[in-house]
Amino acid sequence: MTEGGRLLLATCGESETRDLGRALGTACGERMCVALRGALGAGKTVLVKGIADGLGVTDHVTSPTFTFVNEYGAGGRRLTHVDLYRIESEDDLESIGWSDVVLEADVLAVEWAERADGDLPVPRIDVELALGRGDERRVELRAHGGEARLAIARLSLRGAACA
Ligand SMILES: Nc1ncnc2c1ncn2[C@@H]1O[C@H](COP(=O)(O)OP(=O)(O)OP(=O)(O)O)[C@@H](O)[C@H]1O
Ligand SMILES: [Mg+2]
């Protein structure tokens, strides 16, 4: 379902979430923040691996749980993958160089984005992953800014939704 910059869908299994990420990576413009929320094991990292595929990243993408920030070359662009799970304060955010991370990223994928609420750039797509039954995940995408709305429109046209 899509309406004005909002898209609701469900994925069944890891590979469908990766496919969705790939479509998102292909659809996002030159600069985009993808802000991911969802419980442990909801599939945030899986989605980012797909985004990396869509951007043409050839390096193996791993979760930045302990490094906080991983960067990958993607053609002429840079994918910056951040995991804020262990960030508890504004000071923690600055200690990982958050302002520079935001300035320097082309595509910025942020897990546990709620830890940086108020400090997330636009254009941005907020992605909420909710655990469903078994391997089902319900995914809500919400656009902030014109480029993000365009990306979600492109994604809908590609028929990214699964059964
Ligand atoms: N529909 C689905 N989409 C994504 N992952 C799924 C799905 N169904 C099952 N899984 C499994 O759920 C797990 C998701 O792991 P992932 O590391 O992506 O979660 P995460 O949200 O990044 O967690 P964390 O908060 O610990 O970083 C994987 O083991 C994956 O195989
Ligand atoms: Mg993760």
Side-chain angles (χ1 to χ4, degrees):
M1 179 185 102
T2 174
E3 66 178 47
R6 185 160 170 260
L7 181 62
L8 291 171
L9 46 88
T11 67
C12 317
E14 176 171 344
S15 68
E16 287 192 1
T17 298
R18 190 154 177 158
D19 288 347
L20 172 63
R22 187 178 300 116
L24 191 53
T26 307
C28 66
E30 286 300 302
R31 281 179 79 84
M32 187 62 65
C33 174
V34 181
L36 298 139
R37 295 174 174 80
L40 287 168
K44 300 178 293 295
T45 300
V46 168
L47 195 94
V48 176
K49 288 181 181 200
I51 291 173
D53 294 339
L55 291 170
V57 171
T58 51
D59 290 343
H60 182 63
V61 173
T62 54
S63 174
T65 309
F66 298 103
T67 51
F68 291 112
V69 183
N70 287 343
E71 292 184 330
Y72 304 93
R77 280 188 287 180
R78 184 196 311 225
L79 167 65
T80 306
H81 180 192
V82 189
D83 188 330
L84 300 181
Y85 181 62
R86 294 187 297 136
I87 297 296
E88 289 174 355
S89 66
E90 199 74 22
D91 284 350
D92 283 357
L93 254 192
E94 269 324 306
S95 75
I96 64 162
W98 178 252
S99 313
D100 290 336
V101 166
V102 168
L103 277 176
E104 289 164 16
D106 295 315
V107 177
L108 174 62
V110 188
E111 298 191 37
W112 294 96
E114 56 268 51
R115 307 279 202 262
D117 260 346
D119 290 306
L120 295 164
V122 172
R124 184 175 82 247
I125 298 175
D126 286 338
V127 181
E128 178 100 38
L129 288 141
L131 296 165
R133 246 190 241 154
D135 285 347
E136 189 203 28
R137 302 290 189 269
R138 288 185 303 282
V139 189
E140 176 175 358
L141 298 101
R142 199 183 282 266
H144 300 271
E147 271 301 317
R149 292 175 83 91
L150 260 178
I152 287 191
R154 285 189 206 109
L155 198 62
S156 319
L157 285 176
R158 288 169 55 95
C162 317

